[in-house]
């Protein structure tokens, strides 16, 4: 019995390792291009009539010459630093605003029974089905033409924060539902005001869900490029996604800069994601499982 | 006990508020309409000037051009300047410093381009035998003057353009009933709601005499006001038409009767397609019945808006009289805490999600494009036409000599691609996620945490980066995937040239980035299934398959179904992957609905058509959502 189990695990490990390597390949590929110091889309330059070995070499994601020239170039020759800064400011502001709005609304939906509660929850859900293309032109008219917030951080921030609200509210509400009401009631008997209960008791207890909400709001803003490319006209106001697409979109093919930029842009989100992943499962499932 | 006791109640207040709102709203509508009317007539006058001058120039010999232009400028102080351009030449100008005739300078390229545009528009209209393209250009960017460009014909052939500049006479009065751009009725409405919440009225649904009287008073007051302003509006419209007739008469005095004669509609009083409006006759007499018909057509939308104002006022009055306002106020006070918490998010959602949504839907019923955005709304309204065009086009394929030829631009093709795309993606995501979650849930498997972290990575990486990376890997010449194929002796594939291969690029990319979500969700649910259930089943002699079928799957249901619904909606609208990886290649065959809508809006600039397309997408998703909820609820008992 014990021996059979060990064998099974060997099989599982082989399967898992090969799948993991396969799924990691695109990541290695980007890293290879980023550190290759050149701009082409191939890992090495193949001769006209390559042999089998040369072809195999072209697949292995290790650059021919190791160089950080792409990283240096993307900072010095391109305005990538500015774009990254724009993205950082917009994303952080979105996170703060989005989390605040989602927490308060989710708390009300979870704890109070009031007329319009169900309708409110339902409209939040339905709004997830609104196609982005339907909203683009009206949003452009409202933000740029009426409010005059084109080319500003704030215009993007309010749009991103409200876009993220419905998902965050549903998730947080599910989590708030799991916090026993008794805690609040005993605090109320001890004379705590509603604000104190919300800020001092509920929010600290909901840290995992709030962490996920924050991550989600941050990623909404950090990864969005269509609205950003429509609202931000001046090149100095581009966000990082708009800028990265600029490297390989249309007729330009600066794959080296793109790869280096991608590594820089992905690093913070990937780290955040991995750091918060212990909350990921509890945060996501709390909303759906009653 | 005064007989007017009922007056002391909130009834009178309600009447005041309702009348106030309707009047403010009507006044606001009238001001907008009057402003539009002024501009319209000034543009029509400018049009008459340009048309008649172009007509005179068309029959004038080249050496007389300068004279005709000078005479035109001298005739009226509002006539600022005029230039005549033919091909690359400046044929004539009222400005002596222009030194016409001469070649156009580099900085005069815009007028050269405009001439080409009008020439192309004229050729299109003649070629198609219908009037589709505008032949007159009004430059809206010039302040304080109307700059009109009309075609200049010589011997009935397009020979260039005439551009006249006419000073604006009308004073730009600021509208008195708006506060810095905000219409006055909006704050009035808010104040009314607040007042209604404070005051008390008996909340019964009886229609007694006082209430009837109040309704009558409301209708009398508001309708009288609207009637009176409508009469003034009508009169000023007739006045405008008379001015146009005068302008035609003056032109007749200078240039003689137009070739069509005195009794035919004047060819100078036209719309921007150069079609005679028929209101003014050739000799400058006003055809009042034709004017009346045009006026009625023009104001149909406006009259409906006035009725809407009336209805809004009536609703307010009802709300006051029957105590709904008071109840609203009581509710608000009772749940003040809850509403305070919800308000910030709701406000943001209203302004930036629901309002744009409704605006977009409204846009779908117009024919708005980049080029007619500034027109008044009523002129762009076309009803259901866009939807009929989208849904009524069944030209899905043609039978050619080489079998079926699919029409990739057809809505139903795109819908089919989208459905196949969604189903295959969700199937791949769920099955991969499920298998991986089962493996990772194996007891005492070493290194579980490491595997999980690594397998989550595709989810963590921004998906537009993923998309562009895969686009690079699918590069037909240098891409790594074709290198692998060639290594095994296969021919390289031009991935984005075939319908199926191009679809596969999107599928691979989306499969890669969507399995971690399912894996994480399923893993979470698996871990919450108590171990003793499996142990009990094992004791009972259940096989591994039976355990999976009868314990795992039923217990996964509550988690799996919302996750699948979510992922169906996400994949259905997965813009980034299609847009960035294949771009819908070849020839738009792999476009899904959402990317198609984007291209209609931002590559063809057909805003309204794109909005209608998006509305259809929304309805499809909504129907799916409702259907899915029904099915889930019906099967929940299992």
């Amino acid at each position: 019995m014990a021996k059979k189990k060990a064998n099974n695990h060997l099989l599982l490990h082989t399967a898992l390792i090969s799948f993991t390597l396969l799924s990691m390949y695109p990541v290695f590929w980007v890293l290879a291009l980023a550190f290759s110091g050149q701009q082409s889309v191939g890992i090495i330059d193949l001769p006209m009539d390559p042999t089998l070995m040369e072809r195999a070499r072209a697949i292995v994601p290790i650059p021919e010459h190791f160089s950080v020239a792409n990283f240096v170039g993307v900072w010095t020759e391109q305005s990538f630093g500015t774009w990254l800064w724009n993205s950082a400011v917009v994303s952080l502001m979105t996170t703060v605003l989005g989390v605040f709005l989602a927490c308060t609304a989710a708390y009300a939906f979870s704890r109070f029974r009031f007329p319009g509660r169900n309708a409110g929850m339902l409209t939040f859900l339905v709004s997830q089905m609104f196609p982005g293309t339907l909203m683009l032109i009206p949003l452009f008219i409202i933000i740029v033409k009426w409010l005059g917030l084109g080319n500003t951080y704030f215009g993007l921030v309010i749009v991103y924060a409200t876009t993220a609200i419905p998902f965050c509210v549903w998730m947080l509400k599910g989590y708030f539902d799991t916090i026993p009401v008794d805690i609040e009631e005993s605090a109320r008997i001890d004379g705590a005001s509603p604000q104190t209960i919300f800020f001092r008791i509920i929010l600290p207890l909901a840290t995992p869900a709030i962490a996920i909400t924050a991550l989600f709001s941050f990623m909404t803003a950090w990864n969005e490029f269509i609205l950003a490319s429509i609202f931000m006209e001046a090149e100095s106001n581009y966000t990082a996604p708009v800028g990265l697409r600029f490297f390989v979109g249309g007729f330009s093919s600066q794959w080296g800069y793109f790869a280096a930029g991608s590594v820089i842009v992905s690093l913070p989100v990937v780290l955040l994601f991995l750091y918060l992943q212990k909350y990921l499962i509890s945060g996501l499932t709390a909303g759906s499982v009653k | 006990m005064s007989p007017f006791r009922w007056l002391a109640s909130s009834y009178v207040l309600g009447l005041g508020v309702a009348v106030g709102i309707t009047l403010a709203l009507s006044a606001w509508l009238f001001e907008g309409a009057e402003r539009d009317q002024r501009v319209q007539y000034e543009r029509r006058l400018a049009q008459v000037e340009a048309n008649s001058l172009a007509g005179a120039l068309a029959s004038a010999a080249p050496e007389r051009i300068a004279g005709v232009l000078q005479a035109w400028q001298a005739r009226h102080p509002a006539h600022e300047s005029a230039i005549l351009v033919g091909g690359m030449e400046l044929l004539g100008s009222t400005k002596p410093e222009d030194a016409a005739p001469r070649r156009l300078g580099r900085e005069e390229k815009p007028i050269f381009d405009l001439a080409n545009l009008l020439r192309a528009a004229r050729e299109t209209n003649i070629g198609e035998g219908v009037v589709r393209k505008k032949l007159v250009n009004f430059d809206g960017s010039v302040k304080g003057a109307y700059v009109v460009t009309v075609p200049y014909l010589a011997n009935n052939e397009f020979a260039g353009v005439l551009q006249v500049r006419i000073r604006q006479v009308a004073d730009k009065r600021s509208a008195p009933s708006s506060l810095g751009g905000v219409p006055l009725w909006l704050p009035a409405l808010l104040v009314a709601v607040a007042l209604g919440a404070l005051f008390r009225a008996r909340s019964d649904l009886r229609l007694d005499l006082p209430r009837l009287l109040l309704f009558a008073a409301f209708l009398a007051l508001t309708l009288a006001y609207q009637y009176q302003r409508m009469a003034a509006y009508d009169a000023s419209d007739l006045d405008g038409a008379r001015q146009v007739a005068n302008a035609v008469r003056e032109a007749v005095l200078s240039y003689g009767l137009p070739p069509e004669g005195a009794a035919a509609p004047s060819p100078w009083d036209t719309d921007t397609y150069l079609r005679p409006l028929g209101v003014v006759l050739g000799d400058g007499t006003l055809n009042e019945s034709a004017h009346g018909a045009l006026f009625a057509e023009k104001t149909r939308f406006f009259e409906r808006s006035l009725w809407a104002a009336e209805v809004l006022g009536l609703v307010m009055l009802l709300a006051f009289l029957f105590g709904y306002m008071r109840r609203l106020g009581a509710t608000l006070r009772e749940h003040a805490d809850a509403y305070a918490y919800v308000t910030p998010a709701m406000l943001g959602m209203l302004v930036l999600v629901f309002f744009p949504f409704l605006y977009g839907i409204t846009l779908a019923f117009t024919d708005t494009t980049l080029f007619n955005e500034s027109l008044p709304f009523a002129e762009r309204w076309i009803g259901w036409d866009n939807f009929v065009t989208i849904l009524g086009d069944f030209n899905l394929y043609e039978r050619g000599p080489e079998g079926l030829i699919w029409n990739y631009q057809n809505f139903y093709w795109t819908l089919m691609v989208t459905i196949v795309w969604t189903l295959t993606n969700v199937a791949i995501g769920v099955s991969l996620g499920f298998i991986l979650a089962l493996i990772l849930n194996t007891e005492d498997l070493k290194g579980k945490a490491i595997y999980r972290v690594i397998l989550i990575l595709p989810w963590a990486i921004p998906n537009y980066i993923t998309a562009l990376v895969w686009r690079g890997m699918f590069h037909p010449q240098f891409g790594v995937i074709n290198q692998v194929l060639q290594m095994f002796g296969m021919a390289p594939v031009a991935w984005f040239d075939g319908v199926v291969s191009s679809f596969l690029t999107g599928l691979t990319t989306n499969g890669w980035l969507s399995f971690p979500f399912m894996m994480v969700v399923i893993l979470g649910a698996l871990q919450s299934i108590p171990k003793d259930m499996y142990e009990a089943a094992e004791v009972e002699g259940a096989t591994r398959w039976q355990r999976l079928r009868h314990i795992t799957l039923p217990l996964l249901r509550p988690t799996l179904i919302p996750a699948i619904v979510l992922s169906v909606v996400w994949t259905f609208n997965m813009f980034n992957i299609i847009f960035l990886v294949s771009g819908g290649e070849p020839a738009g065959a792999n476009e899904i609905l959402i990317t198609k809508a984007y291209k209609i809006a931002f590559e063809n600039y057909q805003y309204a058509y794109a909005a209608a397309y998006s509305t259809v997408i929304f309805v499809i998703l909504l129907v799916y959502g409702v259907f899915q909820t029904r099915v889930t609820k019906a099967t929940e008992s299992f």
Side-chain angles (χ1 to χ4, degrees):
Chain A
M1 185 74 191
K3 194 168 181 218
K4 194 185 159 204
K5 224 173 193 170
N7 275 344
N8 271 352
H9 283 193
L10 191 66
L11 205 68
L12 286 185
H13 277 295
T14 331
L16 272 179
I17 288 174
S18 21
F19 188 82
T20 312
L21 280 180
L22 204 65
S23 86
M24 284 298 283
Y25 186 83
V27 179
F28 294 136
W29 184 82
V30 178
L31 286 173
L33 284 197
F35 285 103
S36 69
Q38 39 103 23
Q39 298 297 336
S40 87
V41 70
I43 297 166
I44 60 164
D45 288 329
L46 278 178
M48 278 301 285
D49 207 7
T51 63
L52 188 69
M53 279 317 286
E54 279 168 328
R55 285 214 192 277
R57 174 65 190 85
I59 297 166
V60 179
I62 297 169
E64 221 168 0
H65 311 286
F66 186 84
S67 147
V68 289
N70 281 335
F71 288 93
V72 177
V74 93
W75 276 104
T76 53
E77 288 164 35
Q78 310 285 338
S79 11
F80 190 71
T82 325
W83 300 339
L84 206 63
W85 168 252
N86 292 339
S87 260
V89 173
V90 168
S91 307
L92 287 175
M93 281 163 66
T94 303
T95 312
V96 173
L97 186 64
V99 167
F100 171 74
L101 292 178
C103 280
T104 47
Y107 182 67
F109 282 134
S110 166
R111 284 296 187 265
F112 300 108
R113 296 288 173 274
F114 53 93
R117 174 175 174 273
N118 290 338
M121 294 285 292
L122 197 67
T123 47
F124 275 27
L125 196 66
V126 171
S127 76
Q128 288 296 283
M129 296 176 185
F130 294 176
T133 44
L134 187 57
M135 320 286 280
L136 274 179
I137 295 160
L139 276 178
F140 176 78
I141 293 173
I142 294 169
I143 297 289
V144 178
K145 291 200 175 155
W146 293 357
L147 300 177
L149 291 175
N151 278 323
T152 62
Y153 294 142
F154 191 64
L156 274 184
V157 167
I158 52 174
V159 173
Y160 290 159
T162 44
T163 322
I165 283 179
F167 181 78
C168 295
V169 164
W170 267 88
M171 225 188 62
L172 277 171
K173 187 223 163 233
Y175 198 88
F176 286 151
D177 283 346
T178 64
I179 301 175
V181 191
D182 309 354
I183 304 179
E184 280 166 73
E185 271 164 8
S186 61
R188 198 166 299 135
I189 291 165
D190 290 342
S193 71
Q195 280 72 29
T196 318
I197 295 176
F198 179 64
F199 286 108
R200 292 284 171 80
I201 298 174
I202 298 295
L203 289 191
L205 280 174
T207 315
I210 291 173
I212 296 298
T213 312
L215 178 70
F216 184 79
S217 304
F218 185 85
M219 289 199 4
T220 305
W222 188 256
N223 295 346
E224 206 281 339
F225 70 91
I226 300 163
L227 282 170
S229 65
I230 290 175
F231 288 1
M232 302 295 209
E233 280 172 324
E235 207 186 301
S236 64
N237 281 328
Y238 279 3
T239 56
V242 181
L244 276 183
R245 216 189 130 220
F246 178 77
F247 286 140
V248 289
F251 294 104
S252 84
S253 58
Q254 297 167 306
W255 283 95
Y257 286 152
F258 163 74
S262 298
V263 172
I264 299 173
V265 168
S266 306
L267 216 54
V269 265
V270 170
L271 290 181
L272 260 178
F273 207 89
L274 296 185
Y275 172 69
L276 290 175
Q277 61 114 5
K278 59 179 170 179
Y279 296 131
L280 208 56
I281 293 172
S282 60
L284 273 177
T285 46
S288 50
V289 183
K290 291 273 156 66
Chain B
M1 274 304 217
S2 133
F4 297 108
R5 209 178 77 90
W6 51 271
L7 270 179
S9 70
S10 76
Y11 289 4
V12 174
L13 179 80
L15 178 68
V17 168
V19 169
I21 285 174
T22 306
L23 291 194
L25 186 53
S26 309
W28 181 69
L29 287 169
F30 269 110
E31 251 139 43
E34 279 159 10
R35 213 176 312 126
D36 281 354
Q37 189 189 46
R38 268 203 304 280
V39 173
Q40 256 172 22
Y41 273 106
E42 281 171 10
R43 280 171 64 154
R44 222 166 117 190
L45 280 172
Q47 178 94 60
V48 169
E49 296 292 347
N51 284 340
S52 57
L53 184 57
L57 288 167
S59 55
E63 64 277 7
R64 284 200 47 239
I65 285 174
V68 172
L69 288 176
Q70 295 299 343
W72 174 80
Q73 194 189 22
R75 209 176 78 215
H76 200 283
H79 296 177
E80 200 173 301
S81 64
I83 52 172
L84 185 66
V85 173
M88 302 280 286
E89 303 283 325
L90 181 68
L91 300 175
S93 168
T94 51
K95 287 185 210 140
E97 68 268 24
D98 270 347
R102 60 167 170 82
R103 276 181 76 84
L104 284 175
R106 179 174 287 275
E107 70 288 350
E108 286 160 321
K109 182 127 190 326
I111 179 105
F112 176 74
D113 288 342
L114 188 57
N116 281 337
L117 202 73
L118 293 185
R119 174 205 288 272
R122 185 168 184 272
E123 278 164 10
T124 312
N125 285 350
I126 292 174
E128 295 181 356
V130 288
V131 184
R132 190 161 66 84
K133 300 243 178 171
K134 289 191 175 167
L135 298 170
V136 178
N137 176 276
F138 276 88
D139 188 346
S141 64
V142 180
K143 296 270 176 275
Y146 290 96
V147 178
V148 198
T149 314
V150 294
Y152 156 60
L153 308 179
N155 303 324
N156 246 336
E157 286 295 314
F158 189 91
V161 289
L162 168 73
Q163 187 171 67
V164 300
R165 206 181 154 96
I166 292 170
R167 259 181 224 106
Q168 228 162 28
V169 249
D171 52 326
K172 288 224 160 180
R173 276 184 303 162
S174 65
S177 81
S178 40
L179 300 165
V182 182
L184 198 63
W185 60 272
L186 210 65
L189 191 68
L190 293 178
V191 169
V193 171
L195 282 177
L198 291 174
F199 283 84
R200 280 159 204 292
R202 265 180 305 152
S203 48
D204 51 17
L205 286 172
R206 233 154 20 94
L207 191 65
D208 46 13
L209 188 66
R211 284 174 181 160
L212 267 177
L213 280 178
L214 285 168
F215 276 123
F218 169 80
L219 288 176
L221 280 171
T222 51
L223 288 179
Y225 174 79
Q226 287 189 352
Y227 182 78
Q228 175 224 337
R229 285 225 44 183
M230 199 67 193
Y233 179 74
D234 195 355
S236 83
D237 207 77
L238 191 61
D239 193 47
R242 290 215 174 95
Q243 281 180 29
V244 174
N246 269 339
V248 170
R249 217 169 303 137
E250 270 178 42
V252 169
L253 282 181
S254 334
Y255 310 127
L257 276 175
E260 284 83 352
S266 169
W268 298 332
D269 178 26
T270 65
D271 58 13
T272 46
Y273 298 92
L274 289 182
R275 289 177 300 201
L277 291 170
V279 175
V280 178
L281 299 181
D283 59 354
T285 45
L286 186 65
N287 179 350
E288 294 211 8
S289 66
H291 167 77
L294 189 68
F295 178 74
E297 191 191 327
K298 221 169 47 180
T299 50
R300 200 177 300 138
F301 191 81
F302 174 52
E303 276 181 357
R304 279 189 206 159
S305 314
L306 288 178
W307 281 114
E310 201 74 14
V311 169
L312 183 71
L314 267 177
V315 168
M316 286 307 293
L317 191 61
L318 271 171
F320 269 94
L321 294 194
F322 293 112
Y324 292 115
M325 289 305 245
R326 190 182 55 86
R327 259 182 276 167
L328 181 69
T331 315
L332 280 178
R333 270 195 303 274
E334 193 186 334
H335 302 282
D337 271 344
Y339 288 118
Y341 276 106
V342 174
T343 307
M346 258 314 181
L347 213 61
M349 293 284 290
L350 275 181
V351 177
L352 293 170
V353 178
F354 295 115
F355 178 72
F357 174 71
L358 292 179
Y359 191 105
I361 302 244
T362 320
L363 209 58
F365 291 92
T366 66
D367 65 346
T368 310
T369 63
L370 177 67
F371 308 105
N372 68 0
E373 258 180 306
S374 50
L375 282 181
F377 210 75
E379 283 183 39
R380 286 183 276 145
W381 191 265
I382 55 164
W384 292 89
D385 281 13
N386 284 327
F387 295 97
V388 172
T389 319
I390 294 168
L391 299 175
D393 177 14
F394 295 105
N395 178 24
L396 187 53
Y397 56 81
E398 277 171 30
R399 263 178 224 289
E402 291 138 43
L404 290 185
I405 301 168
W406 292 96
N407 176 12
Y408 298 143
Q409 306 310 316
N410 187 283
F411 168 78
Y412 293 102
W413 169 268
T414 313
L415 178 66
M416 198 173 75
V417 171
T418 314
I419 291 174
V420 175
W421 158 260
T422 310
L423 292 181
T424 46
N425 269 304
V426 174
I428 288 180
V430 171
S431 36
L432 260 183
F434 188 64
I435 294 171
L436 286 169
L438 277 184
I439 295 179
L440 288 183
N441 199 37
T442 316
E443 251 178 287
D444 56 72
L445 180 76
K446 285 204 184 80
K448 261 197 272 192
I450 300 171
Y451 286 126
R452 207 181 64 194
V453 167
I454 295 175
L455 287 175
I456 277 180
L457 266 185
W459 186 10
I461 296 169
N463 67 13
Y464 70 95
I465 290 184
T466 307
L468 289 169
V469 165
W470 281 91
R471 185 181 171 79
M473 298 206 302
F474 277 113
H475 195 286
Q477 222 177 329
F478 310 108
V480 104
I481 290 169
N482 270 346
Q483 303 292 349
V484 174
L485 290 184
Q486 280 168 295
M487 203 172 86
F488 291 109
M490 284 182 267
V493 177
W495 288 103
F496 302 115
D497 291 353
V499 178
V500 178
S501 62
S502 184
F503 183 79
L504 285 179
T505 61
L507 195 62
T508 318
T509 312
N510 201 49
W512 186 75
L513 65 82
S514 61
F515 79 83
F517 169 74
M518 281 296 171
M519 184 186 83
V520 167
V521 168
I522 297 173
L523 194 56
L526 284 179
Q527 282 165 353
S528 68
I529 299 177
K531 297 274 177 297
D532 43 356
M533 288 184 87
Y534 290 108
E535 282 160 16
E538 222 172 336
V539 172
E540 301 274 334
T543 63
R544 184 179 280 237
W545 166 250
Q546 280 171 328
R547 272 176 280 159
L548 184 71
R549 174 74 188 76
H550 295 288
I551 300 177
T552 315
L553 285 182
L555 286 174
L556 277 184
R557 262 185 74 92
T559 318
L560 210 50
I561 284 177
I564 288 177
V565 175
L566 208 57
S567 114
V568 164
V569 175
W570 281 345
T571 317
F572 199 89
N573 280 343
M574 183 48 92
F575 178 86
N576 286 5
I577 303 303
I578 296 287
F579 186 70
L580 294 176
V581 178
S582 67
E585 290 296 306
N590 271 305
E591 215 81 74
I592 57 171
L593 292 171
I594 193 99
T595 58
K596 184 91 184 170
Y598 180 85
K599 289 203 172 157
I600 294 171
F602 291 96
E603 285 178 12
N604 304 348
Y605 302 111
Q606 293 174 300
Y607 295 158
Y609 195 73
Y613 220 90
S614 313
T615 310
V616 174
I617 301 177
F618 169 68
V619 172
I620 294 173
L621 281 178
L622 193 66
V623 168
Y624 164 76
V626 171
F627 174 75
Q628 177 77 55
T629 334
R630 284 268 165 81
V631 171
T632 314
K633 270 191 186 149
T635 55
E636 231 159 35
S637 49
F638 281 106

